[in-house]
Amino acid sequence: MYSSEEIAVAGMSAGRSALRMGPAELVQAAAMARRFYLEGKSKIQIAEEFGVSRFKVARVLETALERDLVRIEIRVPAELDAERSDALRARYGLRHAVVVESPAEDDESPDPENLGEVAADLLGELVNEGDVLGLAWGRSTIHMAAALDRLPPCTVVQLTGVYDAGTAERGSVEAVRRAAQVSGGEAHPIYAPMLLPDPATAAALRSQTGIARAFEYFDKVTVACVSIGSWEPGISTVHDMLSEEERAHYASLGVAAEMSAHLFDAGGRRVGRDLGERCITVEADRLRRIPEVVAIAGGQRKAAAIGAVLRSGLVTSLVTDRSAADYLLGEFSPGPHPALDRTDPDTGPDGR
């Protein structure tokens, strides 16, 4: 739905090289090109109509392209950057990469709202009837859910707790409900904060009926949407929830990015795994087994963090903006191709 093709048949006004064709040849070539490119007829059908072999039709169409009788233009909506999207997909081995125009008024803003709108359209393509859609906490996923206007019937499950249980109705819980309402499927929200004071409290919450029921769906998730945060104030939810002492501790481990309460260094290796013991979130191993994990993140301030998470192998697709894409495409080495090799890249002892 992001691209369309416009075929221009030049006819007798073709370029200089086409003048070598006689008038009858030009008229016939233009007619065949119109049938093939604009009317969608097969070469066999065209051959039958003009009383020639399908091999001659193929030669005529090839000549029409070579001599500029036919011009093919690939056009996408102005807000989408097809060239950067394809380059980013190839460079990082992603299944899907969609790059949108950065906001003109503030290139420094993380996760422009138009990312959510494009991600909502992408989900309409990726989700099939009967799928289980998982939504992690994040501003971008909340924007995406608000923009949803079509989804096949599917089950929707929340993958993380919320930033603040008191704001659940305006955040992740509402996003899950919204997606389920659009799809007509079941909703399985999590009414609990993402970060707890200690592992024992987190374990007790995980055993509660409603939360345990949502966790049971984690292994059934087929498409997931996640957000990415840089390790700095206002850009990472987890960073903002921790004490100064805790932030300094994880910074000393080299944390560069955060996704669904999992921390990553610049090379995409997970660090500070002990934090997960205090969190209500989908485990990284479960994320790795999900067939399609779509990250929604953009902005210059998140660009390095996006690159770190892409190297982790946990993400298969990305919706981002031009400013982040330019940084990612300018990096010297993207590391492993996540969509092609989703084995755990972590090596050595775990930083705790």
Side-chain angles (χ1 to χ4, degrees), residues 50-69:
F50 288 87
V52 298
S53 70
R54 63 184 177 89
F55 300 105
K56 180 175 181 179
V57 173
R59 286 197 300 271
V60 169
L61 293 175
E62 183 179 352
T63 301
L65 284 171
E66 291 175 349
R67 300 192 176 185
D68 205 27
L69 182 66

Side-chain angles (χ1 to χ4, degrees), residues 30-46:
M32 288 183 177
R34 187 177 299 280
R35 304 291 194 280
F36 185 74
Y37 290 108
L38 298 183
E39 299 175 12
K41 291 187 176 181
S42 70
K43 293 175 184 176
I44 293 177
Q45 290 174 315
I46 298 171

Side-chain angles (χ1 to χ4, degrees), residues 259 262 282-290 293 314 342:
M259 179 183 70
H262 301 296
V282 61
E283 298 94 328
D285 289 342
R286 280 176 159 174
L287 264 179
R288 198 178 299 278
R289 292 194 295 269
I290 296 174
V293 178
L314 292 175
R342 301 193 74 196

Side-chain angles (χ1 to χ4, degrees), residues 29 42 74 88 91 96 118 125 138 161 211 227 235 257 301 310 312 350:
S42 70
I74 309 298
L88 198 61
R91 184 172 178 82
H96 305 281
V118 173
E125 293 183 81
I211 297 175
S227 296
I235 310 296
R301 294 175 66 185
L310 290 181
S312 75
D350 178 35

Side-chain angles (χ1 to χ4, degrees), residues 146-311:
L148 282 172
D149 59 10
R150 65 184 180 94
L151 269 183
C154 64
T155 299
V156 186
V157 61
Q158 192 169 323
L159 296 179
T160 64
V162 297
Y163 175 48
D164 182 342
T167 63
E169 292 300 319
R170 302 190 301 276
S172 300
V173 170
E174 182 55 34
V176 169
R177 286 177 171 172
R178 166 66 181 169
Q181 180 184 32
V182 172
S183 74
E186 295 181 1
H188 295 276
I190 293 177
Y191 296 95
M194 182 188 296
L195 181 66
L196 283 304
D198 53 72
T201 304
L205 277 177
R206 291 190 201 103
S207 66
Q208 290 188 357
T209 303
I211 297 175
R213 185 178 299 116
F215 267 63
E216 289 173 0
Y217 276 91
F218 285 0
D219 287 329
K220 303 174 184 177
V221 173
T222 50
V223 180
C225 282
V226 299
S227 296
I228 296 172
S230 299
W231 197 246
E232 60 178 296
I235 310 296
S236 165
T237 299
V238 173
H239 179 281
D240 292 346
M241 288 191 288
L242 295 173
S243 67
E244 288 291 342
E245 182 179 356
E246 290 170 324
R247 293 170 189 166
H249 165 66
Y250 291 117
S252 71
L253 299 179
V255 60
E258 172 260 318
M259 179 183 70
S260 302
H262 301 296
L263 308 181
F264 306 87
D265 67 11
R269 292 174 291 271
R270 289 178 56 215
V271 296
R273 297 192 189 191
D274 59 312
L275 181 66
E277 298 171 4
R278 297 169 49 194
C279 294
I280 303 296
T281 186
V282 61
E283 298 94 328
D285 289 342
R286 280 176 159 174
L287 264 179
R288 198 178 299 278
R289 292 194 295 269
I290 296 174
E292 187 73 76
V293 178
V294 181
I296 313 168
Q300 292 179 5
R301 294 175 66 185
K302 282 194 176 185
I306 296 169
V309 173
L310 290 181
R311 293 186 190 93

